[in-house]
Amino acid sequence: MQVKSSSFVISNTEVVKCPKSNLAEYAFIGRSNVGKSSLINALCNKKNLAKTSSRPGKTQLINHFLINKNWHLVDLPGFGYARVSKTQKNIFQKFITNYFKERTQLVTAFLLIDIRHEPQPIDLNFMRWLGENSIPFSIVFTKADKLKPMAIERNVSGYSKKLLETWETLPHHFITSSANRSGIEDILAYIGSLNQNLKVRL
Ligand code: GDP
């Protein structure tokens, strides 16, 4: 799929205020500094669509972008630095859980993981929560340009091994770099095929 147009729609702190449209939605989420804004900008081929910032705890908003006038890309707040409620056991804020539980337009989520890092409990817990709530997701490994091919393979298989301790099957994964655009077209093709399937089902 080619991104021919992309524009910012709205930022919200509450899921009830998100756009009322029925367009298919794809959400991107990950720990602060994982490279989420850079990935969104690479997917849309725009330098500053999503605001890149390494500042921890920047405003926590659900950001909607309209792509090709027929689907929404959603930039969810980075977790890891934000204050979390005790009841949510350090996963992330209530309004994000509400987003995932209430947003019926969501087709799938993309969880971003820095390919250089060991599996982190916060990401593993989040995946478990998504699984428990039957929310489809893929893993997007970011910053692959920072590692040599052997190290990429080692880290991805290490991550898979860790997941297989609790998951029967592995989620779909992408190996990406916003710096050299590797894997970017794969994500777009995947979204394109999911959109196509939705059309067939209608
Ligand atoms: P966010 O907080 O998750 O939105 O992360 P950003 O997109 O703001 O990126 C955080 C930092 O990682 C910035 O310094 C980016 O330049 C850097 N970064 C993001 N993606 C890549 C990538 O694919 N390769 C490299 N080498 N650096 C990246």
Side-chain angles (χ1 to χ4, degrees):
M1 180 190 38
Q2 252 189 308
V3 172
K4 293 185 184 132
S5 66
S6 54
S7 56
F8 169 75
V9 181
I10 194 166
S11 292
N12 281 298
T13 52
E14 288 175 69
V15 66
V16 288
K17 293 183 184 157
C18 287
K20 297 275 180 278
S21 90
N22 287 324
L23 293 180
E25 203 155 292
Y26 297 87
F28 290 76
I29 190 162
R31 302 176 75 205
S32 304
N33 221 30
V34 71
K36 180 164 52 72
S37 311
S38 304
L39 183 87
I40 292 170
N41 290 335
L43 288 168
C44 298
N45 224 347
K46 277 197 183 160
K47 271 209 174 98
N48 294 310
L49 191 63
K51 303 267 183 305
T52 51
S53 161
S54 49
R55 186 163 54 95
K58 59 188 169 182
T59 322
Q60 302 285 292
L61 294 167
I62 302 168
N63 302 296
H64 274 74
F65 298 93
L66 179 64
I67 312 297
N68 290 350
K69 298 195 173 85
N70 78 344
W71 58 276
H72 279 135
L73 184 158
V74 181
D75 179 8
L76 293 173
F79 56 83
Y81 289 110
R83 270 186 292 137
V84 288
S85 71
K86 280 180 194 152
T87 47
Q88 286 298 328
K89 282 201 185 148
N90 292 354
I91 298 177
F92 56 123
Q93 290 109 321
K94 186 88 184 146
F95 79 102
I96 294 299
T97 50
N98 285 346
Y99 169 85
F100 282 107
K101 283 183 169 170
E102 291 169 24
R103 200 69 183 156
T104 50
Q105 295 91 331
L106 181 74
V107 178
T108 197
F110 292 95
L111 173 63
L112 278 58
I113 308 274
D114 189 320
I115 198 160
R116 298 168 299 172
H117 299 164
E118 295 277 312
Q120 305 284 314
I122 195 166
D123 292 316
L124 298 171
N125 289 341
F126 179 50
M127 281 185 244
R128 195 175 61 212
W129 185 86
L130 288 172
E132 283 166 1
N133 287 277
S134 305
I135 296 158
F137 69 94
S138 296
I139 294 177
V140 176
F141 291 106
T142 61
K143 309 191 188 182
D145 61 288
K146 295 214 181 211
L147 294 181
K148 299 215 162 75
M150 287 278 279
I152 290 177
E153 213 177 297
R154 191 178 58 233
N155 288 11
V156 172
S157 79
Y159 212 100
S160 303
K161 227 173 172 181
K162 182 74 190 170
L163 287 177
L164 286 171
E165 288 174 11
T166 46
W167 289 81
E168 271 177 35
T169 52
L170 291 172
H172 201 65
H173 76 261
F174 299 90
I175 298 170
T176 70
S177 160
S178 304
N180 67 18
R181 293 192 58 83
S182 60
I184 299 296
E185 306 305 326
D186 297 336
I187 296 177
L188 290 174
Y190 182 61
I191 293 174
S193 71
L194 292 177
N195 279 340
Q196 201 58 38
N197 285 345
L198 292 174
K199 236 196 268 172
V200 171
R201 268 196 270 145
L202 284 177

